[in-house]
Amino acid sequence: MSYYLSKSLEMPFAAAIEHVTKKLAGKGFGILTRIDVQHTMKVKLGVDFKPYMILGACNPHFAWRALQAEDKIGAMLPCNVIVTETAPGQVEVAAVDPMAAMGAIDNPQLVATAKDVRLLLQEMIGEL
């Protein structure tokens, strides 16, 4: 089982971040965090890295359901979605597969929530 869902797109990196953010919003996800990995690697390690953004996406309805089922699940939230430039004008968008992320937890309520979130993320990736 893969631990992520992904799709390649032909568009500039900054436009892809905006596009993904809008598509996530259409599925009820807001962006809680943005981690600019390229910038962080340059500042912290002095190394060059490709454009790579981690978007911490959260759907409050499903986060609430997950927290009600398993209060320590916050250690695995939010759902991370990455946008990375693979070549000029080419990006890959990848989202964590909630079923893979939650696979180690034996909680049927949590599994049901993870399945619902997976469906939304699959739809979002498919609509890109």
Side-chain angles (χ1 to χ4, degrees):
M1 172 196 279
S2 177
Y3 63 94
Y4 64 93
L5 314 163
S6 70
K7 186 172 187 175
S8 295
L9 306 172
E10 289 187 29
M11 67 174 50
F13 181 72
I17 292 170
E18 185 176 326
H19 183 60
V20 169
T21 299
K22 286 179 183 176
K23 290 294 185 181
L24 282 163
K27 300 294 179 189
F29 291 87
I31 303 301
L32 300 178
T33 60
R34 290 174 183 256
I35 302 170
D36 183 339
V37 176
Q38 181 185 44
H39 174 77
T40 301
M41 293 300 151
K42 188 65 168 178
V43 169
K44 300 292 184 182
L45 300 177
V47 297
D48 292 321
F49 192 64
K50 63 187 174 184
Y52 191 111
M53 183 72 69
I54 302 171
L55 303 172
C58 178
N59 181 308
H61 171 75
F62 289 108
W64 176 251
R65 277 180 46 193
L67 287 163
Q68 295 306 298
E70 189 76 35
D71 74 332
K72 304 300 183 281
I73 200 63
M76 301 176 102
L77 298 177
C79 295
N80 284 329
V81 178
I82 63 168
V83 179
T84 185
E85 185 177 76
T86 55
Q90 300 280 324
V91 296
E92 181 180 22
V93 178
V96 65
D97 182 340
M99 291 299 294
M102 307 297 170
I105 303 166
D106 184 22
N107 183 321
Q109 289 177 315
L110 188 60
V111 170
T113 300
K115 284 180 182 178
D116 291 341
V117 174
R118 178 194 221 184
L119 180 61
L120 289 176
L121 290 173
Q122 285 174 321
E123 289 173 358
M124 183 276 300
I125 292 282
E127 293 172 6
L128 291 175

